[in-house]
Amino acid sequence: MNLLDKEGFDLWANEYDKAVGISDEEKTYPFAGYKEVLGIIYQEVMKKDIADVLDIGFGTGTLTTKLSRL
């Protein structure tokens, strides 16, 4: 297992969204299916008249930002 130390994580954080997009497009670990999962969650929330959502994922708030615009 290859874990990042604080410095490595800080460097990766600057490119996080780009890394997620590449991994999702290439269907590789760890973000294969990322956009699909976010789309499914978003559609489930949109089916409800009132929905409470707690986004506890680590990341840059992609889903939270989209939901907050409703």
Side-chain angles (χ1 to χ4, degrees):
M1 178 179 252
N2 185 13
L3 298 175
L4 295 175
D5 61 13
K6 182 185 180 320
E7 183 177 298
F9 182 82
D10 288 345
L11 291 171
W12 181 48
N14 291 329
E15 299 291 324
Y16 180 82
D17 287 326
K18 183 177 178 180
V20 169
I22 291 169
S23 177
D24 185 43
E25 288 173 17
E26 294 178 354
K27 299 181 180 5
T28 58
Y29 179 84
F31 300 109
Y34 181 81
K35 290 178 186 174
E36 180 182 359
V37 170
L38 289 186
I40 291 168
I41 294 168
Y42 184 81
Q43 292 303 319
E44 288 299 313
V45 170
M46 296 305 296
K47 290 178 185 177
K48 304 190 181 302
D49 291 331
I50 298 173
D52 294 320
V53 177
L54 174 61
D55 182 357
I56 58 171
F58 295 98
T60 57
T62 303
L63 178 60
T64 302
T65 300
K66 189 171 182 177
L67 293 172
S68 70
R69 293 182 181 148
L70 300 175

